[in-house]
Amino acid sequence: MSVDLPLPVLTPNDFASDQDVRWCPGCGDYSILAQMKKVMPTLGLPKEKIVFISGIGCSSRFPYYMNTYGMHSIHGRAPAVATGLKTCRPDLQVWVITGDGDGLSIGGNHLMHAIRRNMDLNIVLFNNRIYGLTKGQYSPTSPAGKKTKSTPMGSIDNPLHPLSIAIGAEATFVARSIDTNIKHLAETLKRAADHRGTAFVEVYQNCNVFNDGAWNYAKDRNTKADTTLELEHGKPLIFGKDRDKGIRLNGLEPEVVQLGSGIAEDDLLFHDERSHEPSLAYLLSRMRYEDGYPEPIGVFRAVEKPKYDDMINDQIEEATKAHGIGDLEKLFNAGETWEVE
Amino acid sequence: MSTAIEKQVENLDEATVRFCGDSGDGMQLAGTQFTNTSALAGNDVATFPDFPAEIRAPRGTKAGVSGFQIHFSSQDIYTPGDTVDALVAMNPAALITNLPDLRQGGILIVNTDNFDKKGLEQAGYESNPLEGGDLEEKFKVHQMDMTKLTRQAVDGLGLSVKEADRCKNFFAMGLVFWLYDRSLEPTLRFIDAKFGKKPEIAQANVAALKAGYHYGDTVEGWNTQYLVAKAKLPAGKYRNMMGNQALAWGLVAAAKLSHKRLFLGAYPITPASDILHELAKHKHFDVLTFQAEDEIAAVTSTIGAAFAGEMAVTASSGPGIALKGEGLGLAVITELPMICINVQRGGPSTGLPTKTEQSDLLQVMFGRNGECPMPVIAASSPSDCFDAIQEAWRIAVEYMTPVFFLTDGYIANGSEPWRIPEVSDLPRVRVKHPEPMPDSNDEGAPKFMPYARDEKLARPWAVPGTPTLEHRIGGLEKQDLTGNVSYDPANHEHMIKTRAAKVAGIANGIPEQAVDGPDSGDLLVISWGGPYGACATAVHRAQAMGHKVSHAHLRYLNPFPKNLGELMGRFKKVLVPEINCGQLRLLLRSEYLVDAIGFNKVQGKPFAVGEIVEKIEEVLAS
Ligand SMILES: Cc1ncc(C[n+]2csc(CCOP(=O)(O)OP(=O)(O)O)c2C)c(N)n1
Ligand code: SF4
């Protein structure tokens, strides 16, 4: 009989590596790092079971600052590195840290495939709508018309929306949070960690050097109640400082309505994060501030599906059941052989 | 068997047969069956499958011709043969493209079915080559309408015409089986295993096979059978092996014997895909095969698996290797053990995807950014893949480095007898992972140093999940010992030199270069990879002619064996035959300042023995 020893009680500080953190002062990355360190001790896992894998970008320096196992890999490829690791070692909790350029531009392919396989990874995409590390070029999430060093006349690319991409790839867990909304961020990270399968979290992150204020509308104390909407499972979509506005479905389109004047809570759209049909989650991901909608934060989707890392290892078990544990002698001598005297 | 006609039997030392036809005609199957049967009959065999890049080129065109050549012998042989003794041509396109390889006086078996106006035109014939007696002057020609004969043979089995016609490769096989007095048994067993669930197809194939055999036995004009006696191979139990299969089995063995799970991250590409296919069959050996979304994911997932502490392998071919370049740089700087297999094919770009070439040597040596040395090992033959890949794994683990492993399309698809080894004789690679550090809260307690080094300059392979060894690795330059990110100029140079010294130091752990023949003389032929067999045979021939020629075949291309420079110095001249424009020669010249002579051919085809012999004579005479 094995005795379950109580885990040593860890603190956020136990997860801090001895490396100096080298982001620009005021960068939103600090806050995400702080929340991650806060969440870690709540996961019931010893440090050595946690691995951070990142690509390249400011945000991707993240693993160096965590006193866990980690790898700072190459631009865009973190989901693939993490896939190899998690496939071999389902017992580890693997986090992927990526940026909007890293994850959606150069690494778009890997991101999509990690998600559609439902590999048990926690992917956190720091979205600052800019390339930070390469000093301020527009990114795949920059709004059209964005003027940057590489787009002096304004960007003519249409932006990608990370959560729409993730839901399009049928992610089993999709959430959004904001760097400065620390309580919400910590809760969101915790829920991502608890999810079995790919958890995809977009975090609105401020790059105060190259794209300061990109998310001000969602952070500003005076506006955020009207520009964001906190999702709660089973609850109607209500927002606004006085919680007097809601989202109603008009045909296939969401519509902002004023509660009261003939419209009751029951007329609103109710959030169902467990719906197996991803259309509702997709619809939520399409609600944009510039189109006059509040932007949802919280968990868009959380459903259970078989995980790749389980299935690939189950196949090994199944094959072993069917053929016995691989025996080299048997392998070499099976089939047509002949003797030479 | 009772024979109506007086038959003669002629004994031969060896023979080379080629089946060729349209890519839908089942020529690869015919060739494989003939190979297995010959191997089971105790011959030494070597094969050369040659197929088009198009899965189904328009029927009857030259672009769609598929061929399979088998050389079988009562002697030790190393190549599939230069010229062909018996050619089976299933249509005019196959005839026109393959006839030049049939030796004078050789046997030509032609299926006359498609020699109509359209078929001849498609092949580019202006008149019917079967008419006028020209062929008969040079070859022993046997013409027959195999399609019709096959239809007759399967009549009454309820097959559609299309299904019936598909059996004609079995008719052709039967005929050649008769010609070389081969047993039908192995192929009958094969038919049973493969088509057992479709009894009418199985019956039809059996009928066609036997019809072909009896045709030889009964029809006039077929009066000689050729016998090739068993080869005097070293005693033991044998099986026939293809290169990619041997490679996969070598990987399985290496993983099992080093108590590791095997992870293969791969993206399909000819001619490497069969490694993935073969490994996917052996999951009960704890083999994880991951078909990635592209080669970049294939190599980076492999890096993840290596970090996880398992035996991590990726396999591809030139274009895929090009995509892996950045990832391999990460593997080099993170100093994780893994193997990257490159099954070379014709380049550049998509080049000749189904044809062989040796032109990726410089790519694997230098095709990465920065100072990024990787050891390189090359297999010399299909069965050598089994041993050489285990050696690659040993080096990867002992030195904590990614290793490049080179084969080529010729080795990958070729086959030869493989002496089944005793499992107890196979090398065991001892893998050490560091244990947890002593538990201590003491400030001055020793800390884990992920970039500390042993006497081979290898760093420790600490596996995630081990308490107290938490560490971070990555692509930014690492500080010596601690592995922390470091921009210190002196440290960078130190790390670059250390990684290079580590790879160079592998030379201390590999055998000295062996030489076949006297260790000094007029000419040293140096080869690597696929041309091994042709060079070995050519050098033996030249030696028999009295020339002072020896042969050194390189398995280790980076680093070179320690004695290589000195060995070359003992010969007046050095000749380097390669299926490229001189890539090894360039390396030898730059490393040793030796005036090596190149013999280069880049036609998507392996060397013929004859052309190397000729070149040897030419070099000796000059
Ligand atoms: C193959 C390759 N191409 C380009 C780069 C340069 N590069 C580094 S980070 C980066 C963009 C990062 O943007 P993002 O992912 O948004 O991260 P941020 O720095 O904003 O956190 C680029 C283009 C690289 N390192 N590697
Ligand atoms: S450039 Fe921007 S994203 Fe990068 S560290 Fe500075 S503030 Fe943060």
Side-chain angles (χ1 to χ4, degrees):
Chain A
M1 220 182 77
S2 70
V3 186
D4 278 340
L5 290 172
L7 283 169
V9 180
L10 296 170
T11 67
N13 247 346
D14 290 316
F15 287 90
S17 79
D18 58 357
Q19 298 300 291
D20 294 334
V21 183
R22 295 242 175 101
W23 288 310
C24 306
C27 175
D29 291 355
Y30 285 98
S31 162
I32 307 176
L33 178 65
Q35 296 321 307
M36 187 66 86
K37 283 192 219 150
K38 225 183 260 169
V39 168
M40 288 286 120
T42 70
L43 300 180
L45 282 172
K47 278 189 304 191
E48 68 269 16
K49 290 281 190 188
I50 299 167
V51 188
F52 282 87
I53 310 272
S54 65
I56 298 289
C58 294
S59 50
S60 286
R61 302 287 174 96
F62 199 92
Y64 290 126
Y65 309 139
M66 295 293 298
N67 188 17
T68 60
Y69 283 94
M71 192 192 299
H72 175 227
S73 76
I74 49 176
H75 201 18
R77 319 302 175 193
V81 175
T83 291
L85 173 67
K86 183 73 185 176
T87 297
C88 291
R89 295 290 306 279
D91 61 308
L92 300 173
Q93 185 181 74
V94 183
W95 291 80
V96 170
I97 303 294
T98 185
D100 41 316
D102 189 63
L104 295 174
S105 201
I106 192 166
N109 192 29
H110 310 303
L111 188 72
M112 169 172 89
H113 287 279
I115 290 174
R116 61 115 176 163
R117 290 185 185 110
N118 201 27
M119 189 68 72
D120 190 7
L121 304 172
N122 307 316
I123 305 175
V124 187
L125 185 142
F126 296 21
N127 187 0
N128 54 18
R129 310 192 96 175
I130 202 81
Y131 284 7
L133 192 68
T134 45
K135 299 204 167 78
Q137 301 84 2
Y138 78 116
S139 93
T141 57
S142 299
K146 175 82 182 167
K147 285 197 174 155
T148 72
K149 276 182 207 151
S150 60
T151 52
M153 296 173 67
S155 154
I156 50 174
D157 291 17
N158 287 315
L160 282 176
H161 297 277
L163 296 191
S164 296
I165 301 273
I167 295 163
E170 305 201 13
T172 52
F173 181 94
V174 180
R176 176 189 283 152
S177 192
I178 300 174
D179 55 5
T180 44
N181 194 344
I182 56 177
K183 203 165 143 252
H184 186 267
L185 176 58
E187 273 163 21
T188 309
L189 294 175
K190 169 87 170 116
R191 280 211 54 194
D194 292 342
H195 177 72
R196 294 168 43 80
T198 308
F200 183 83
V201 181
E202 174 190 24
V203 184
Y204 286 175
Q205 173 239 328
N206 193 38
C207 170
N208 57 315
V209 173
F210 295 110
N211 205 17
D212 195 25
W215 306 112
N216 270 359
Y217 65 85
K219 298 177 174 216
D220 190 312
R221 293 230 317 266
N222 300 318
T223 59
K224 68 180 182 189
D226 290 317
T227 58
T228 62
L229 184 161
E230 211 165 315
L231 295 170
E232 277 182 274
H233 177 64
K235 299 271 171 67
L237 301 188
I238 296 181
F239 68 106
K241 221 189 246 140
D242 303 321
R243 298 197 56 80
D244 59 347
K245 286 183 275 190
I247 302 292
R248 181 171 75 171
L249 210 51
N250 181 1
L252 282 176
E253 290 199 18
E255 181 182 41
V256 176
V257 288
Q258 194 70 40
L259 284 170
S261 53
I263 298 176
E265 277 193 12
D266 277 353
D267 298 324
L268 299 181
L269 191 55
F270 278 66
H271 183 44
D272 178 7
E273 64 184 32
R274 290 179 214 144
S275 168
H276 266 260
E277 169 53 51
S279 302
L280 180 65
Y282 187 75
L283 180 129
L284 295 175
S285 80
R286 305 241 335 132
M287 288 177 17
R288 314 251 161 73
Y289 167 65
E290 68 260 28
D291 295 335
Y293 295 109
E295 292 188 353
I297 61 171
V299 177
F300 287 56
R301 185 163 202 247
V303 297
E304 285 273 323
K305 272 196 190 162
K307 319 188 286 147
Y308 186 98
D309 44 308
D310 282 345
M311 289 189 289
I312 189 170
N313 285 287
D314 287 352
Q315 282 197 343
I316 291 194
E317 226 172 88
E318 207 179 301
T320 309
K321 255 190 215 140
H323 308 292
I325 291 176
D327 176 342
L328 290 174
E329 202 155 302
K330 240 167 84 190
L331 172 71
F332 296 168
N333 289 284
E336 308 261 23
T337 62
W338 69 95
E339 288 281 349
V340 172
E341 307 278 292
Chain B
M1 245 170 244
S2 72
T3 41
I5 306 152
E6 194 63 19
K7 303 272 170 171
Q8 292 170 13
V9 169
E10 199 177 301
N11 288 299
L12 300 175
D13 284 341
E14 58 179 347
T16 300
V17 174
R18 187 186 295 171
F19 293 90
C20 57
D22 195 80
S23 57
D25 282 346
M27 294 296 98
Q28 301 300 320
L29 178 69
T32 314
Q33 283 304 308
F34 192 83
T35 307
N36 286 341
T37 304
S38 300
L40 288 172
N43 293 140
D44 195 2
V45 296
T47 68
F48 179 46
D50 191 20
F51 37 84
E54 296 73 21
I55 304 302
R56 290 278 186 275
R59 272 197 84 81
T61 62
K62 284 194 266 189
V65 173
S66 167
F68 193 108
Q69 181 166 319
I70 314 106
H71 183 193
F72 51 106
S73 172
S74 56
Q75 325 269 318
D76 224 355
I77 50 165
Y78 304 98
T79 77
D82 287 8
T83 56
V84 173
D85 299 308
L87 180 70
V88 180
M90 301 298 279
N91 67 11
L95 184 66
I96 201 166
T97 44
N98 287 277
L99 198 59
D101 294 332
L102 183 61
R103 71 165 167 81
Q104 284 266 346
I107 298 165
L108 176 62
I109 300 168
V110 186
N111 175 15
T112 57
D113 174 36
N114 284 309
F115 283 75
D116 51 9
K117 188 158 172 289
K118 184 174 168 227
L120 292 169
E121 252 174 38
Q122 268 179 323
Y125 276 118
E126 291 186 348
S127 61
N128 190 342
L130 304 179
E131 288 163 7
D134 284 0
L135 289 178
E136 275 79 2
E137 270 175 34
K138 292 198 206 142
F139 312 109
K140 298 190 190 98
V141 184
H142 301 281
Q143 305 183 20
M144 73 216 68
D145 189 339
M146 281 190 205
T147 312
K148 201 169 114 207
L149 291 164
T150 305
R151 281 185 200 165
Q152 283 167 1
V154 305
D155 194 27
L157 291 174
L159 264 58
S160 69
V161 174
K162 210 170 144 204
E163 284 170 332
D165 288 0
R166 220 178 273 151
C167 301
K168 64 180 182 289
N169 59 334
F170 281 90
F171 183 94
M173 265 189 255
L175 194 53
V176 179
F177 278 24
W178 177 83
L179 190 63
Y180 290 100
D181 192 32
R182 298 268 100 124
S183 160
L184 297 185
E185 280 308 316
T187 301
L188 293 174
R189 283 200 297 273
F190 163 81
I191 293 173
D192 192 41
K194 173 122 186 163
F195 301 104
K197 288 203 185 100
K198 295 183 199 145
E200 49 321 317
I201 304 283
Q203 268 178 33
N205 285 334
V206 170
L209 180 73
K210 288 189 171 164
Y213 195 95
H214 295 315
Y215 188 89
D217 209 17
T218 52
V219 169
E220 226 162 313
W222 294 83
N223 39 19
T224 312
Q225 265 184 309
Y226 301 94
L227 295 191
V228 175
K230 287 182 183 213
K232 294 162 241 13
L233 297 174
K237 195 168 175 192
Y238 284 80
R239 65 181 304 135
N240 201 34
M241 265 299 222
M242 278 173 68
N244 273 345
Q245 187 185 11
L247 196 54
W249 287 22
L251 289 170
V252 168
K256 175 112 188 158
L257 296 174
S258 51
H259 305 289
K260 286 283 156 202
R261 307 182 85 191
L262 176 59
F263 176 92
L264 176 81
Y267 187 76
I269 185 169
T270 304
S273 303
D274 280 337
I275 299 169
L276 169 62
H277 303 161
E278 180 65 26
L279 285 176
K281 290 192 229 162
H282 301 295
K283 293 189 192 293
H284 58 301
F285 278 89
D286 228 348
V287 173
L288 297 150
T289 51
F290 172 62
Q291 181 176 321
E293 54 272 21
D294 61 21
E295 283 86 350
I296 301 175
V299 72
T300 44
S301 64
T302 302
I303 294 170
F307 188 42
E310 302 299 359
M311 179 175 175
V313 182
T314 185
S316 189
S317 190
I321 300 294
L323 286 176
K324 290 178 199 284
E326 190 196 10
L328 291 169
L330 179 66
V332 167
I333 197 168
T334 53
E335 303 191 47
L336 286 168
M338 53 181 263
I339 300 175
C340 180
I341 298 165
N342 180 354
V343 187
Q344 299 164 97
R345 64 186 212 182
S349 185
T350 307
L352 303 178
T354 60
K355 309 288 177 192
T356 200
E357 211 163 280
Q358 281 187 286
S359 49
D360 296 348
L361 177 58
L362 298 181
Q363 179 191 26
V364 309
M365 283 289 296
F366 304 118
R368 294 170 297 283
N369 65 298
E371 293 288 344
C372 195
M374 267 177 78
V376 182
I377 287 185
S380 58
S381 73
S383 64
D384 183 52
C385 288
F386 179 81
D387 300 316
I389 196 76
Q390 296 180 69
E391 174 68 350
W393 176 234
R394 176 188 74 82
I395 289 174
V397 169
E398 279 183 20
Y399 295 86
M400 286 292 283
T401 174
V403 174
F404 247 119
F405 188 86
L406 291 173
T407 78
D408 57 49
Y410 171 72
I411 295 176
N413 292 318
S415 61
E416 64 183 353
W418 176 61
R419 192 159 74 137
I420 300 173
E422 289 297 336
V423 173
S424 54
D425 292 342
L426 295 177
R428 261 74 178 158
V429 174
R430 230 172 62 80
V431 182
K432 291 178 297 200
H433 296 297
E435 299 286 324
M437 306 281 288
D439 212 7
S440 164
N441 291 326
D442 201 357
E443 272 296 302
K447 283 181 63 183
F448 174 61
M449 293 289 159
Y451 278 76
R453 293 179 190 278
D454 67 10
E455 67 290 352
K456 288 176 175 150
L457 300 179
R459 69 175 195 90
W461 190 8
V463 177
T466 319
T468 72
L469 303 186
E470 292 86 357
H471 67 286
R472 275 69 52 196
I473 56 178
L476 287 174
E477 185 60 281
K478 294 288 161 280
Q479 187 181 50
D480 197 15
L481 298 174
T482 65
N484 292 334
V485 173
S486 166
Y487 295 98
D488 171 19
N491 176 74
H492 177 53
E493 185 163 304
H494 169 71
M495 293 302 272
I496 283 197
K497 288 186 169 161
T498 305
R499 288 187 290 263
K502 178 170 85 164
V503 171
I506 294 169
N508 298 321
I510 60 174
E512 291 212 329
Q513 181 59 47
V515 55
D516 183 2
D519 63 5
S520 66
D522 292 335
L523 178 67
L524 180 66
V525 175
I526 298 188
S527 60
W528 68 278
Y532 163 70
C535 290
T537 314
V539 169
H540 290 162
R541 244 182 245 174
Q543 286 166 344
M545 290 153 84
H547 295 307
K548 293 202 173 78
V549 183
S550 296
H551 178 208
H553 184 81
L554 304 184
R555 168 183 273 188
Y556 303 92
L557 297 164
N558 190 34
F560 288 129
K562 271 188 179 166
N563 64 330
L564 185 61
E566 182 237 338
L567 176 65
M568 284 190 288
R570 285 193 253 116
F571 290 82
K572 287 190 191 133
K573 285 175 178 164
V574 172
L575 174 69
V576 188
E578 290 177 271
I579 312 286
N580 60 37
C581 291
Q583 301 196 3
L584 174 64
R585 183 168 59 114
L586 181 93
L587 296 179
L588 291 174
R589 283 177 159 220
S590 72
E591 175 94 16
Y592 300 105
L593 301 178
V594 53
D595 190 16
I597 304 161
F599 180 42
N600 305 93
K601 170 174 154 179
V602 210
Q603 303 174 359
K605 291 197 288 196
F607 280 115
V609 176
E611 58 194 2
I612 297 178
V613 174
E614 239 171 67
K615 183 70 187 180
I616 290 174
E617 295 198 285
E618 181 197 311
V619 171
L620 287 171
S622 66

